[in-house]
Amino acid sequence: METKKATEAKVANPSPAQEEEVANAADSNGDSSPAPKILSETSAEQDSSEEEIGSSGKPTIQLLTGMKEDLAARIPLYRDDWKRPKNLFTVLNAIFFAFVVQLIPALIFAELLDKQTEGSLAVAEVLLSAGIIGVIYALLSGQPLVLLGITGPVAILLGKSYGLAEQYDANYFTFFWWLCIWTSILHLLTAALGLVETVWLITPFATQIFEFFIAMSFVFESIRDLVHDIHLGQAQSEERSAAYASLVIGILTFYICWTLHFAETWVSFSRQLRTFLTSYNMAIAVVIMTALSFLPGVAQDTDGLHGIKRVEIRRVPWDWKPTTEEGVEERPWVTHPLDGIDVKGIFGALFPAFMLYLLFFIDHNISSILTQAPKYRLKKPPAYHWDFFVLGLTIIPCGILGLPPGSGLIPQAPLHTRALCTRKHEVIDGVRREVVTHCEEQRWSALFQALLMFVALSLIVFISWIPVGCLFGVFLYLGVGAMHGNEIWERINLMFMYAKKRPPIPVVAKTSSWSVVRYYTAIQVGLASITFGIAQFATWGRIDGKSTVIRCHVSNLAFLFVMFGSGYVFPALIAIFVPFRLYVVSRFFSKQDLKYLDPVGESDEDYVAEQRELYKVDRDVDEAEVFHGFSELRMKDVDHNAIDYYEHHPDVEPPEEFAETVLRNRQRSSTSQKADELPVVEENPKTHGA
């Protein structure tokens, strides 16, 4: 007599003979309907409740394997990337749209860098960097739909690490040269060793915290810079009047951006006009408020001391030379790697380089995943390893020329893909949804939007007209927008609702209790707050000129923490949240609750449906209102590599290099599917009793 364990083993793993026997029995009975599974119900429930996080079935380290597969898949398609688009107008619109949505945030981050680096990195360097790295990436990357540029976290990190060069008595740009080279080397090694695969370990738990931290930082810094110059009781009346004027300009800019963001949901005007207002809301707000700032009677900043402050361009028109403060010797474009630095400084740059690498690893790869989301129905495979390698190459010229490096942009890169899509609206299951029918997969749009950055440099005199308050109003809009689409913030809002008024979204209706949601949200808010506090308030200091410490100023109390770095260590905290979720959070929350609290297996359609249901309390929500940010990260049906892509698209013929692997995997999937069609073998209760 077979034991219970042996019986369960046979049930869970039927032999070929069992499968054939069941199949023959079905044929002899003339039953042509699909047969049920040979799985116990308990086993099936356990499998369905478990979320597979980062399980690709491959070793963690594979030397050059991922890059080879990416190149084998994308090189045959390279010529096709340069063919004439099917819809030329769609591509032209995407070029201008991508340029605008990247230019205005770039000016904001340039203003931040200008202040934090004492003019070493300013508007000219940021725009030049966006142009150079954008061209390189458009020409060499595997997936050219991803846009590169300077992001908010990068601006925060580079600003916080500016004073580090002084700690090593090093020339800043030489120190910056080594920082970029170390970062580039880490990128190249990561891509070559196949470590990009670890990005699939990231879940919404970490990305939601990251986005919440970014939103907090943007809102805080925009409000701080809008009110900083008011100095009640200290400044002269003219200066205070100009500061109040900048504050009003910032508030009105934010209002216009926020109002036009929802223009697609209006019932007035044509659909084309509403789409235009939504797509170019930031540019419209900047143009309107810049024009109003020149109205007669508004004091202008003619002497640099009074009047409305505008974007500071030290050379108008720009003479294609590096930015330098007045009275400071001009630096050359090409930095000598050994000028004004010793061995201690060279290796001291490795630590901030590692922080920048961690930031780029999360920022760029998530941007790439969101850009290639299944909802866009792309026809060409991804190339995550090769793209990360190319990203490492783009950092090298930034170090040589003293330019801030950039990575994949969020939400600009996904919005760029969306702008290239031909879409229609269909009613599916009673819900009006946006469906992509075609996407222009080419390199022209990414290339020309990068080239337009050089055009912006030649027209920098117009940029100098923009009020600084206008930029910080857009900055506030970006922060509030990131907060609006963040699921942590949504759960916080739900906590203030009556239980009966909460919408029946999964996190409300399917978790074991609402207290579980509160505890989970409190953990995320606490981690985001710690990251925000360190990034914003931690500064370098020394104890007796020996130990490097962090000084965190909260109220009038100083807390000293002996550590290796300063406020720029926040990328390490974001990276730590990934294993914290896998090994700590999973011990305190059930798998069933985490399925809805950390919905890594949720589809894009489910996410949009939840957003609709969530905001149905106030009004119906169109997909245009769903902010494209880190919270949108969903791993369901996402192709991890080129082989996954060809397995999921049997109508596309794979390249010869791995055609055999794809065929073998397809056969394995087919065999597994046949096994799923076998009937359930129920155990006899009397046998257990015997």
Side-chain angles (χ1 to χ4, degrees):
M1 182 180 293
E2 295 180 334
T3 63
K4 180 180 177 181
K5 290 185 178 179
T7 304
E8 290 176 348
K10 286 189 175 183
V11 171
N13 301 292
S15 65
Q18 282 180 298
E19 295 179 8
E20 184 177 357
E21 180 182 349
V22 174
N24 292 337
D27 292 339
S28 64
N29 293 333
D31 186 6
S32 59
S33 61
K37 300 179 181 179
I38 301 185
L39 281 175
S40 65
E41 294 181 4
T42 304
S43 172
E45 289 176 2
Q46 289 175 349
D47 290 341
S48 64
S49 64
E50 292 181 1
E51 296 292 341
E52 294 185 0
I53 300 174
S55 57
S56 62
K58 294 184 177 182
T60 304
I61 297 178
Q62 288 186 313
L63 183 60
L64 300 178
T65 301
M67 291 174 58
K68 288 179 181 177
E69 291 178 355
D70 292 344
L71 291 174
R74 293 296 308 202
I75 287 178
L77 302 172
Y78 189 79
R79 179 177 293 181
D80 184 72
D81 290 339
W82 294 105
K83 288 184 178 179
R84 188 181 187 278
K86 181 179 178 181
N87 191 327
L88 186 60
F89 176 77
T90 299
V91 175
L92 291 174
N93 175 67
I95 291 172
F96 189 69
F97 171 74
F99 167 68
V100 171
V101 297
Q102 182 177 356
L103 174 65
I104 296 176
L107 296 178
I108 298 170
F109 303 141
E111 189 69 22
L112 292 177
L113 284 172
D114 193 352
K115 291 182 177 181
Q116 296 177 350
T117 63
E118 299 176 356
S120 298
L121 300 175
V123 173
E125 284 73 17
V126 169
L127 296 183
L128 187 60
S129 171
I132 291 175
I133 65 179
V135 169
I136 295 174
Y137 199 81
L139 295 175
L140 300 181
S141 67
Q143 180 50 270
L145 298 183
V146 180
L147 300 181
L148 298 193
I150 314 304
T151 65
V154 172
I156 295 173
L157 189 148
L158 293 180
K160 292 295 181 181
S161 62
Y162 174 72
L164 189 56
E166 184 180 349
Q167 300 294 326
Y168 290 101
D169 298 323
N171 176 279
Y172 172 68
F173 284 101
T174 307
F175 185 83
F176 186 78
W177 190 97
W178 283 103
L179 186 155
C180 290
I181 296 304
W182 286 126
T183 305
S184 176
I185 291 173
L186 291 171
H187 278 68
L188 303 182
L189 288 176
T190 298
L193 296 175
L195 294 176
V196 178
E197 282 288 326
T198 57
V199 72
W200 304 110
L201 296 174
I202 300 175
T203 69
F205 174 82
T207 57
Q208 290 166 6
I209 295 174
F210 191 17
E211 185 179 49
F212 196 71
F213 154 71
I214 292 174
M216 293 170 66
S217 299
F218 284 13
V219 171
F220 170 77
E221 294 194 13
S222 59
I223 294 176
R224 179 198 62 192
D225 289 325
L226 282 172
V227 303
H228 178 267
D229 291 334
I230 293 179
H231 294 301
L232 293 175
Q234 298 178 14
Q236 297 180 2
S237 59
E238 293 146 358
E239 295 176 0
R240 194 177 304 133
S241 298
Y244 274 119
S246 294
L247 176 61
V248 172
I249 288 173
I251 294 173
L252 291 177
T253 303
F254 165 78
Y255 176 78
I256 294 173
C257 287
W258 188 257
T259 302
L260 294 183
H261 178 85
F262 301 102
E264 280 199 76
T265 65
W266 297 352
V267 294
S268 305
F269 309 119
S270 65
R271 179 173 180 81
Q272 291 77 10
L273 178 58
R274 286 183 278 126
T275 301
F276 174 81
L277 294 175
T278 297
S279 300
Y280 297 97
N281 61 336
M282 291 187 292
I284 293 171
V286 169
V287 170
I288 291 175
M289 296 313 303
T290 299
L292 291 178
S293 70
F294 282 102
L295 285 176
V298 178
Q300 305 300 320
D301 188 14
T302 55
D303 56 0
L305 298 175
H306 305 90
I308 296 176
K309 289 188 176 180
R310 304 184 185 276
V311 176
E312 186 173 3
I313 308 295
R314 291 169 179 78
R315 293 186 175 93
V316 179
W318 189 50
D319 55 4
W320 298 89
K321 293 181 180 180
T323 303
T324 52
E325 290 279 2
E326 288 186 18
V328 178
E329 183 181 357
E330 292 186 0
R331 71 175 180 92
W333 269 123
V334 179
T335 302
H336 192 286
L338 299 177
D339 184 18
I341 196 171
D342 54 15
V343 176
K344 183 180 177 182
I346 291 174
F347 286 96
L350 182 57
F351 186 75
F354 184 68
M355 295 299 107
L356 186 60
Y357 157 76
L358 290 176
L359 181 60
F360 277 12
F361 184 86
I362 298 172
D363 229 352
H364 180 79
N365 285 309
I366 292 178
S367 172
S368 186
I369 292 171
L370 293 177
T371 302
Q372 302 172 85
K375 64 181 178 182
Y376 297 125
R377 299 187 179 184
L378 302 184
K379 301 297 183 183
K380 297 177 182 179
Y384 296 110
H385 299 274
W386 175 251
D387 286 349
F388 201 67
F389 184 86
V390 175
L391 178 65
L393 295 179
T394 65
I395 300 174
I396 296 176
C398 292
I400 294 174
L401 300 176
L403 308 175
S407 63
L409 296 171
I410 299 176
Q412 290 93 325
L415 289 176
H416 171 234
T417 303
R418 186 173 183 268
L420 290 167
C421 292
T422 302
R423 307 181 300 274
K424 66 178 182 179
H425 287 84
E426 294 180 353
V427 178
I428 303 174
D429 297 329
V431 178
R432 182 174 176 269
R433 293 186 177 180
E434 185 180 82
V435 178
V436 173
T437 58
H438 174 69
C439 184
E440 297 288 353
E441 299 181 61
Q442 36 68 53
R443 296 178 183 269
W444 296 110
S445 57
L447 176 63
F448 277 99
Q449 70 84 26
L451 292 175
L452 284 176
M453 291 297 171
F454 297 109
V455 177
L457 277 170
S458 62
L459 301 175
I460 205 168
V461 61
F462 298 108
I463 295 176
S464 66
W465 296 351
I466 301 175
V468 172
C470 194
L471 293 182
F472 288 120
V474 177
F475 200 22
L476 180 60
Y477 158 73
L478 294 176
V480 174
M483 192 76 76
H484 175 79
N486 185 267
E487 293 183 64
I488 299 175
W489 181 252
E490 290 169 355
R491 280 185 255 119
I492 292 174
N493 288 331
L494 290 175
M495 290 179 186
F496 292 94
M497 282 187 187
Y498 286 109
K500 293 181 179 180
K501 296 291 185 180
R502 293 181 189 132
I505 59 177
V507 75
V508 174
K510 296 184 178 181
T511 50
S512 57
S513 67
W514 185 247
S515 61
V516 170
V517 179
R518 289 203 302 265
Y519 294 143
Y520 185 85
T521 305
I523 291 173
Q524 288 186 300
V525 172
L527 294 176
S529 300
I530 292 172
T531 307
F532 172 78
I534 291 178
Q536 291 294 335
F537 305 113
T539 57
W540 273 87
R542 288 180 180 273
I543 297 178
D544 298 331
K546 296 180 180 180
S547 301
T548 303
V549 301
I550 294 181
R551 299 184 185 276
C552 295
H553 304 284
V554 182
S555 300
N556 292 323
L557 301 177
F559 299 89
L560 303 181
F561 299 91
V562 179
M563 293 178 66
F564 295 103
S566 183
Y568 59 79
V569 300
F570 70 87
L573 298 178
I574 301 296
I576 290 173
F577 297 157
V578 177
F580 181 81
R581 154 64 181 90
L582 295 176
Y583 301 111
V584 179
V585 175
S586 59
R587 292 180 177 272
F588 295 93
F589 296 89
S590 68
K591 291 179 180 178
Q592 185 67 16
D593 287 334
L594 288 175
K595 180 179 179 180
Y596 304 108
L597 292 169
D598 192 21
V600 65
E602 191 178 54
S603 66
D604 290 325
E605 291 78 10
D606 293 336
Y607 171 72
V608 174
E610 285 182 25
Q611 294 294 303
R612 291 176 181 274
E613 189 67 38
L614 182 66
Y615 291 103
K616 194 180 291 184
V617 177
D618 299 323
R619 50 185 160 71
D620 190 22
V621 176
D622 189 78
E623 185 168 345
E625 295 184 74
V626 178
F627 282 80
H628 297 258
F630 285 96
S631 281
E632 196 188 1
L633 178 68
R634 297 295 185 270
M635 296 299 189
K636 186 177 181 180
D637 300 327
V638 174
D639 298 321
H640 290 199
N641 48 53
I643 292 180
D644 280 356
Y645 170 84
Y646 287 111
E647 287 179 19
H648 298 156
H649 296 77
D651 56 319
V652 182
E653 189 67 25
E656 296 181 1
E657 285 78 356
F658 44 82
E660 183 179 347
T661 303
V662 173
L663 180 61
R664 184 170 59 251
N665 291 347
R666 285 177 180 174
Q667 290 174 345
R668 186 183 299 116
S669 299
S670 178
T671 303
S672 176
Q673 185 176 4
K674 289 179 180 178
D676 290 344
E677 296 175 356
L678 298 175
V680 175
V681 178
E682 295 185 358
E683 296 177 342
N684 189 346
K686 295 182 180 180
T687 304
H688 284 294

